[in-house]
Every structure is written in structure tokens, then in C-alpha cells.
Amino acid sequence: MTAMPATSIPFRAGDSGYASFRIPAVVRAADGTLLAFCEGRRGSSEDFGDIDIVLRRSADGGRTWGPLQVAVANGRDLAGNPAPVVLASGRVLLVHIRNAAAATEDAIRRGRVSAADGRRVWITHSDDHGATWGPSREITATTKKPGWRWYATTPGHAVLTREGRIVVPANHSLPPTGTDTGTEGTYNGGHCLLSDDDGATWRIGYVDDGTTAPDNYINANETTCAQLPDGRLYFNTRNDSPAPGARADAHSTDGGEHLAQPFRPQAGLTGPVVEGSLLHLGEPDVLLYSGPADPGFRALMTVRRSLDGGVTWQDAHTVDGRPAAYSDLVRADADTVGLLYETGDFTAYGTITFRRIPVAALTSPYA
């Protein structure tokens, strides 16, 4: 008999001096500890302001959680978009973004924010499974092109390939042309960051600015990644442009250096415009995607599965019909997948909740 899903709430709006918690990411450390990250927003739920990257750790697979920790603080400015990955050595690497508290996305896209106050890319690390964190180091010079304005990593976890490469999906915006302001979705683009030396050095991999399709049919935004059994990387992205549905996807056969084809619409993943998460189970050969399934609203958090590397999708587990937004997936243990997701009774941003879902429930009748 398959065990029933169980839930816990590592983050609740208003706790620990934070008005809001958003942008979840979760990984399993080498010792089995689950690390649940998010943005702790002190003054409001807005995407700008005094924001820290916080985490809570679980030694029992997400049933209970230790005290809230601050992994990265940027004074009274912003540290956000946590993209954690666990290396073969056991080190937990945390790629993230920093910018001035007053620098809104609108102002950055319009070119009204200086490079010093705009979006910058940093990394930090932990060598004790998330208990403590080392000094942060800026890597903007090799990870962000000078003309890019808005910039974000993931959200959600980054990927360590079987070949040892770190892959961090990311997105950016371009300067506008003509009378445009730069806030239009047509200026969104996607790319990834690559490191082949455990994060010592970094470079930009593929870049997809949406210019290869007519009328900017696809404009990649928040992107997630998983490696398939044949070695290919599968990328799935939020799309704000007029293609069918709100998702698009692509494959890479060279570890993220290039895309085999530019992003194409993925209408099989019905949902609103929102971030989503990917996780490949390994054994069995099942690719999972989490995200809200209501076509018009951020609600109805659902895990879907693909048995053909992301070509087609089917529902595997529906959480409930409540509001829900961003999410991240993790293999909690051999028998369990963890889903860390934003949800609440009347708003999607009341809590960040963790749900333990039996692998058998996600793969049946394919288990």
C-alpha cells in the first residue's frame, strides 16, 4: 500500500521578522539533510527591498525543520534567486543575485539603474551540509553580458551533470529598440551558466534571445533544467509571449553549450505564466515537472510526468485546488520526492510548504 503524502511548513509569512517568504529552492545534501532555501523579504512581499536568502534544514526528510538561518545577507539591500547545487565533494554551492534595495525590475529594464546597483551574480558555499556558509564572491564579469539589464538565476535548484558540469539556468533582458521601454516581454531571453571546475570559474553557455522565431514567438524567462538518461539536458522555461500556452522547452546535446533547437512551445503543460521545476528520477526513467495547472490563475499545484524526455506530459499528482505559485522538486530519499512550493488558503504567498510524495504515486503504473 502506497504511503499518503505528508506536509510541513518550513516558512510562513510574518515569521522571524520577515513579512514574506518567496522563491523556494531545495536540495539534498550529501549526508541526507534537506536544505530548503527561499527569499526572506523583510518589509513586504515585493520583489525589491531588504531581502535575505534564508534556509531551514531537515534531518528527517522534510517532516520537521530546524531553526531559520540566513545563508546570504546583503546589508539592507537584496540577495535573492537562490540556485543551490550539491557537488560530488559534498560542498553545497549557492549561486545567487544581488542588487540595491531600491532597484526595481521596472527601473532596471528601463535602464534607469547603474551597473553597480543593478543585478549582479555571486556565489557562496557550505562545506558542512548547510550548517555554516563561507564568504561570497562576485562572478558577474564572466556570467552577464554588458548589454543585459534584468538578470535572474533559475529560480529553484541548479544541476550537476553526471559528467561533473554545473549548469545554472538563467534569464536576462535586452535593451529596447525604437520607442519601446524595455519592459516588454519581447526583450526577455534565456541562457545558462556553466562551470567545469566545481564553481572556480564560470562562463555563459547557450543564449536564446527569441530572435530566431518570427515576431519573438518565444521569449524565455525563468528556466529549469534536468539531465536525461541519454546525457541530453532538457530545459523548460516560462514564456510570456504569444505562443500556445505559457511554457516552452528545448534540449541540449553538448551539456548546455548550445541548444539543439531554439525554445519551442510546450502546450502539454497547461498552466498560468509562472515558474516551474524539473526533476529526473533516474530509476525509473521518469521526468517530473511541478507547477500550477489552472490555465488562468496561480492555483492547483500539480506534479506532471513525462516518459519520453519531455515530449509529452500527463498528470501524476495533484496537491489541492488552493492558490499556488513557485515550486522546486528534490529526491528526498529512495522512496520519496519532495515538493517545496508557495501556497495558502487565499493567496499563493502565505506559506512555503513542503510535501513528501511517494515515488510510487508518481510513477504508477510504471513503478
Side-chain angles (χ1 to χ4, degrees):
M1 182 176 179
T2 301
M4 294 296 292
T7 61
S8 58
I9 302 178
F11 304 102
R12 189 185 299 274
D15 286 353
S16 302
Y18 292 96
S20 175
F21 295 99
R22 289 223 49 207
I23 321 299
V26 59
V27 293
R28 184 176 185 267
D31 69 344
T33 302
L34 293 183
L35 309 181
F37 299 85
C38 68
E39 294 183 3
R41 301 182 173 184
R42 289 197 177 274
S44 71
S45 61
E46 298 286 354
D47 292 338
F48 59 93
D50 184 353
I51 297 176
D52 302 328
I53 296 177
V54 298
L55 80 150
R56 295 184 69 185
R57 304 167 71 235
S58 175
D60 58 7
R63 297 175 181 87
T64 62
W65 299 88
L68 185 138
Q69 304 169 229
V70 176
V72 181
N74 186 22
R76 293 190 175 183
D77 290 319
L78 179 149
N81 277 88
V85 61
V86 181
L87 306 183
S89 65
R91 169 172 286 188
V92 184
L93 198 68
L94 180 60
V95 186
H96 60 280
I97 299 297
R98 298 185 182 201
N99 62 257
T104 66
E105 180 175 352
D106 182 83
I108 293 171
R109 286 180 176 271
R110 291 176 185 270
R112 297 175 179 173
V113 176
S114 69
D117 288 340
R119 304 284 278 184
R120 307 183 315 280
V121 192
W122 290 68
I123 60 172
T124 186
H125 68 272
S126 172
D127 288 324
D128 54 11
H129 315 299
T132 61
W133 293 85
S136 295
R137 175 170 64 92
E138 186 170 7
I139 58 170
T140 307
T142 59
T143 58
K144 182 182 179 184
K145 293 188 176 183
W148 291 349
R149 291 186 173 179
W150 181 253
Y151 191 106
T153 46
T154 46
H157 66 272
V159 170
L160 180 69
T161 69
R162 291 187 292 276
E163 297 76 24
R165 172 173 289 178
I166 303 169
V167 181
V168 185
N171 65 86
H172 58 273
S173 76
L174 301 175
T177 59
T179 59
D180 289 345
T181 66
T183 62
E184 298 84 359
T186 189
Y187 295 105
N188 288 343
H191 67 281
C192 71
L193 308 182
L194 304 176
S195 176
D196 291 318
D197 52 13
D198 288 342
T201 62
W202 292 86
R203 66 187 187 280
I204 299 170
Y206 80 82
V207 177
D208 187 318
D209 288 329
T211 56
T212 57
D215 300 321
N216 292 289
Y217 195 56
I218 296 289
N219 290 101
N221 192 236
E222 295 166 329
T223 305
T224 185
C225 175
Q227 187 174 31
L228 304 178
D230 61 9
R232 290 180 302 158
L233 295 180
Y234 173 75
F235 293 93
N236 193 289
T237 191
R238 164 180 171 168
N239 177 50
D240 298 347
S241 297
R247 307 300 303 180
D249 57 16
H251 290 84
S252 174
T253 60
D254 57 9
E257 301 278 4
H258 308 87
L259 297 180
Q261 291 187 18
F263 280 101
R264 295 289 189 264
Q266 176 47 266
L269 291 172
T270 305
V273 175
V274 70
E275 175 265 7
S277 178
L278 292 174
L279 178 70
H280 193 277
L281 290 180
E283 292 293 339
D285 180 5
V286 177
L287 178 65
L288 301 177
Y289 168 88
S290 64
D294 187 289
F297 300 92
R298 291 185 172 185
L300 194 64
M301 180 57 67
T302 303
V303 179
R304 282 165 274 196
R305 68 184 171 211
S306 175
L307 307 178
D308 52 18
V311 177
T312 61
W313 294 90
Q314 57 190 236
D315 287 356
H317 176 78
T318 299
V319 174
D320 56 41
R322 297 192 302 163
Y326 287 34
S327 61
D328 200 21
L329 291 163
V330 66
R331 188 67 176 262
D333 56 50
D335 300 320
T336 312
V337 167
L339 172 67
L340 186 68
Y341 66 106
E342 300 174 338
T343 191
D345 290 334
F346 304 104
T347 171
Y349 314 113
T351 72
I352 294 180
T353 291
F354 186 81
R355 170 167 282 217
R356 289 174 49 85
I357 308 171
V359 170
L362 296 170
T363 59
S364 178
Y366 307 101

